[in-house]
Amino acid sequence: LLLLCREPSDRACPPGLLALLTPWLALTAHLSLSSQAGARGRTLILLDVNTKSPVRVTSENFLSLQLDPSIIHDGWLDFLSSRRLVTLARGLAPAFLRFAGKRSDFLQFRNVRNPAKSRGGPGPDYYLKNYEDDIVRSDIALDKQKGCKIAQHPDIMLELQREKAAQMHLVLLKEQFSNTYSNLTLTARSLDKLYNFADCSGLHLIFALNALRRNPDNSWNSSNALSLLKYSASKKYNISWELGNEPSNYRTLTGRTVSGSQLGKDYVQLKRLLQLIRTYTRASLYGPNIGRPRKNVIALLEGFMKAAGRTVDAVVNTYTPGKRIWLEGIGATSAGGMNNLSDSYAAGFLWLNTLGMLANQGIDVVIRHSFFDHGHNHLVDQNFNPLPDYWLSLLYKRLVGPKVLAVHVAGLQRKPRPGRVIRDKLRIYAHCTSYHNHNYVRGSITLYIINLHRSRKKIKLVGTLRDKIVHQYLLQPYGKDGLHSRSVQLNGELLAVTDDGALPELKLRPLRAGRTLVIPPLTMSFYVVKNVNALACRYR
């Protein structure tokens, strides 16, 4: 697995990928401009799609999720059994759930059930550390469909947890800015909770093992990892594995360096361990996860590939042809995001454009950092409420399939100005509609469109798309905060989890056959073109 760019702001990314990950600059510049409707508002855009064959095919799990190990530190891991969190995660399945981050290499596994059970009396720590026993006695319920542990946590426990998390947030920020991280202990019970969340949500867990446990000769000390592997195998947990997080940054974190060839030997060692454990003989192994691919990082990667390229399941063509490329840690901005921006409607322009451009470039999987509880880039807040990027991701999962189609665009103006019709502020992508959506027959096509102009744009579907019924899913900010809103509306109706904790119906707006699509300014939208009978989309 080659994770090329950890954040869209990484200036050291290869130029091609940097171009893919910087549409935020267009939005920032756009928001500083005055309204410029003018003649451009009168442009009619003609749109067709090549329906004969896809230009790229991504993974079924293209949009995937990440959880940071910091949720052990601040206590939120204990609440992953929340019915509401599981419901929200299920909405984004199928997907990978990568449990990894900078604290992965400070994580120690202990095969104990609950080492802190007897500490203290009633109070925040008592209730938080013993919450599961309390839940079992009162609120725990079994999801009969899968036999999952799903909990309805008492409000007082959630209030106490939020207070604890707020205090720990300051500690985590201090660690982040000082680049010094304290050790974390993952108990057997905590691993059970993590796997229960992933399995009940329909997500496939990828666990990053600690790669900084080293022997005197700098080889990897696998004893703690072996203990974790044996425990998870005894529970028959279906997990894929990764070793370490950004080994290219180990010098900064600990003063210790690990060469590419040594890291390759460590991966070979891990692969042999997996093959010795019956449950994981065929388990996938991903890595290395690298960030900011500068000269020394490229050298590390080359050394790794020569030593261990064949042991991993997704790498680069130069060394192991046919392997896939993944990107992880993708969010609105780096360093945990920005309040009132990364968690707002405005952040969706970058997120949706990133998905569109990376799919067109043939990136197999994009892992969003983070599903829950990390800075302001998360999809769900600490009140278990979905943020705008969650609803955008949910629509993407429901409507967009893995087959990417070529888009053909032309513009008609009173005074033609070649090359100035679309510019960078109107972006159009096309895929076969998701096969998992049984509301649409195979052969349908999904368009998703970003309009960063301050004027509306009109699009006429032509060619194979002409005179077809279209279903519109238009996302706009909800409330007086405009682009900074943390709530969104779909076709004019506020999107919110229902009172009983279920996801709302995503109500479409049907457009009559042949109608011109009118794209409002500063919006994101999906359009399903029904019954195209596209050859590229008829079969998996």
Side-chain angles (χ1 to χ4, degrees):
L1 167 64
L2 173 62
L3 304 171
L4 285 173
C5 300
R6 187 174 174 277
E7 297 287 354
S9 59
D10 282 358
R11 295 186 178 181
C13 293
L17 281 171
L18 184 62
L20 300 182
L21 298 175
T22 53
W24 192 255
L25 297 176
L27 172 61
T28 304
H30 172 72
L31 294 178
S32 66
L33 297 176
S34 59
S35 179
Q36 299 178 3
R40 289 198 297 267
R42 296 191 293 270
T43 302
L44 179 63
I45 298 160
L46 306 181
L47 172 63
D48 192 12
V49 172
N50 184 339
T51 60
K52 294 182 179 179
S53 60
V55 293
R56 295 282 190 272
V57 180
T58 67
S59 167
E60 291 278 355
N61 295 355
F62 174 70
L63 195 171
S64 286
L65 308 170
Q66 184 165 330
L67 277 178
D68 195 280
S70 61
I71 65 171
I72 300 173
H73 225 326
D74 62 22
W76 279 116
L77 186 145
D78 289 338
F79 291 81
L80 288 181
S81 58
S82 163
R83 179 179 299 278
R84 193 171 172 116
L85 276 182
V86 170
T87 297
L88 293 172
R90 279 180 181 172
L92 302 181
F96 294 111
L97 178 69
R98 181 177 184 257
F99 186 70
K102 287 188 176 179
R103 292 173 179 83
S104 293
D105 290 306
F106 300 90
L107 192 64
Q108 309 296 323
F109 176 70
R110 291 184 62 192
N111 191 358
V112 292
R113 300 303 299 171
N114 192 357
K117 181 170 182 174
S118 60
R119 291 184 192 170
D125 287 341
Y126 172 83
Y127 286 113
L128 292 174
K129 290 171 182 173
N130 295 277
Y131 92 98
E132 187 170 277
D133 296 329
D134 295 334
I135 291 296
V136 166
R137 286 194 295 269
S138 57
D139 300 293
I140 196 76
L142 287 179
D143 182 329
K144 298 184 186 306
Q145 182 180 358
K146 297 188 66 176
C148 300
K149 287 185 178 180
I150 306 294
Q152 185 66 41
H153 301 286
D155 291 341
I156 182 61
M157 295 180 68
L158 291 172
E159 284 184 33
L160 292 168
Q161 169 55 24
R162 291 187 191 104
E163 291 176 9
K164 176 185 177 182
Q167 296 170 2
M168 287 304 304
H169 180 66
L170 299 177
V171 176
L172 297 175
L173 281 178
K174 183 177 179 181
E175 288 187 352
Q176 179 177 312
F177 290 121
S178 64
N179 215 25
T180 55
Y181 297 91
S182 56
N183 289 329
L184 285 176
T185 298
L186 178 74
T187 65
R189 177 168 288 182
S190 294
L191 181 60
D192 293 342
K193 296 170 187 173
L194 175 64
Y195 187 81
N196 177 74
F197 171 73
D199 189 48
C200 293
S201 303
L203 309 176
H204 179 74
L205 182 62
I206 300 174
F207 192 102
L209 298 165
N210 184 341
L212 273 180
R213 287 179 61 92
R214 296 272 145 187
N215 296 313
D217 63 355
N218 208 30
S219 62
W220 179 50
N221 185 329
S222 62
S223 58
N224 190 255
L226 182 59
S227 176
L228 192 157
L229 289 170
K230 286 182 176 179
Y231 174 78
S232 58
S234 72
K235 302 298 289 277
K236 299 190 182 328
Y237 289 160
N238 180 19
I239 302 176
S240 293
W241 304 95
E242 185 179 340
L243 181 57
N245 185 77
E246 294 190 25
S248 51
N249 288 338
Y250 284 171
R251 178 187 288 275
T252 304
L253 290 176
T254 64
R256 175 184 302 213
T257 60
V258 177
S259 68
S261 59
Q262 179 59 59
L263 186 64
K265 293 175 183 177
D266 300 337
Y267 263 79
V268 171
Q269 181 182 352
L270 174 56
K271 189 71 173 181
R272 288 171 180 164
L273 286 180
L274 294 174
Q275 291 173 342
L276 291 174
I277 300 173
R278 180 177 298 179
T279 303
Y280 299 122
T281 301
R282 297 183 179 180
S284 295
L285 176 60
Y286 300 115
N289 161 22
I290 63 169
R292 302 178 184 271
R294 297 170 178 150
K295 185 176 180 180
N296 63 315
V297 177
I298 294 173
L300 181 147
L301 182 62
E302 290 178 343
F304 173 88
M305 292 303 172
K306 291 176 181 177
R310 296 185 182 278
T311 68
V312 292
D313 292 277
V315 288
V316 283
N317 250 17
T318 305
Y319 298 94
T320 50
K323 301 282 183 170
R324 299 288 187 146
I325 301 175
W326 291 12
L327 290 185
E328 64 86 17
I330 301 298
T333 54
S334 61
M338 299 172 62
N339 190 26
N340 295 324
L341 184 59
S342 306
D343 50 5
S344 71
Y345 176 87
F349 293 114
L350 172 66
W351 179 225
L352 187 57
N353 189 66
T354 297
L355 292 172
M357 298 195 78
L358 293 179
N360 270 272
Q361 288 293 313
I363 299 299
D364 194 48
V365 172
V366 176
I367 301 179
R368 171 63 187 247
H369 194 287
S370 168
F371 172 70
F372 174 71
D373 183 46
H374 183 80
H376 304 285
N377 279 335
H378 45 253
L379 300 180
V380 179
D381 68 18
Q382 293 188 353
N383 293 310
F384 301 162
N385 290 323
L387 292 165
D389 274 9
Y390 175 86
W391 298 115
L392 191 60
S393 302
L394 181 64
L395 277 167
Y396 190 97
K397 279 288 189 179
R398 294 278 180 89
L399 302 175
V400 178
K403 291 186 177 181
V404 185
L405 305 176
V407 174
H408 302 290
V409 177
L412 297 178
Q413 292 177 308
R414 294 181 181 179
K415 294 182 180 180
R417 292 180 291 175
R420 299 193 65 184
V421 176
I422 304 300
R423 296 189 173 184
D424 288 333
K425 293 182 181 178
L426 186 68
R427 304 199 174 190
I428 304 172
Y429 301 99
H431 289 236
C432 295
T433 302
S434 173
Y435 297 132
H436 297 290
N437 193 323
H438 300 299
N439 294 324
Y440 300 107
V441 298
R442 293 189 183 181
S444 299
I445 289 174
T446 297
L447 308 170
Y448 49 106
I449 301 174
I450 303 167
N451 183 13
L452 285 173
H453 288 280
R454 291 182 181 269
S455 59
R456 66 180 184 175
K457 295 298 170 185
K458 295 183 178 181
I459 298 177
K460 186 72 173 177
L461 301 182
V462 298
T464 54
L465 308 184
R466 184 193 307 274
D467 296 331
K468 297 293 189 297
I469 295 175
V470 176
H471 286 176
Q472 172 185 280
Y473 299 83
L474 173 63
L475 279 175
Q476 293 175 290
Y478 179 86
K480 61 180 189 274
D481 293 330
L483 293 177
H484 293 284
S485 176
R486 287 161 57 100
S487 300
V488 296
Q489 54 186 325
L490 176 64
N491 292 327
E493 291 191 18
L494 174 66
L495 286 174
V497 175
T498 63
D499 292 339
D500 61 356
L503 290 172
E505 179 185 356
L506 301 178
K507 295 182 179 179
L508 59 89
R509 181 189 174 196
L511 305 179
R512 70 175 184 272
R515 177 174 174 175
T516 298
L517 307 183
V518 179
I519 317 297
L522 298 172
T523 58
M524 295 164 279
S525 51
F526 295 80
Y527 295 90
V528 178
V529 188
K530 296 184 64 180
N531 304 322
V532 178
N533 198 27
L535 179 62
C537 306
R538 291 182 202 164
Y539 311 102
R540 288 203 174 197

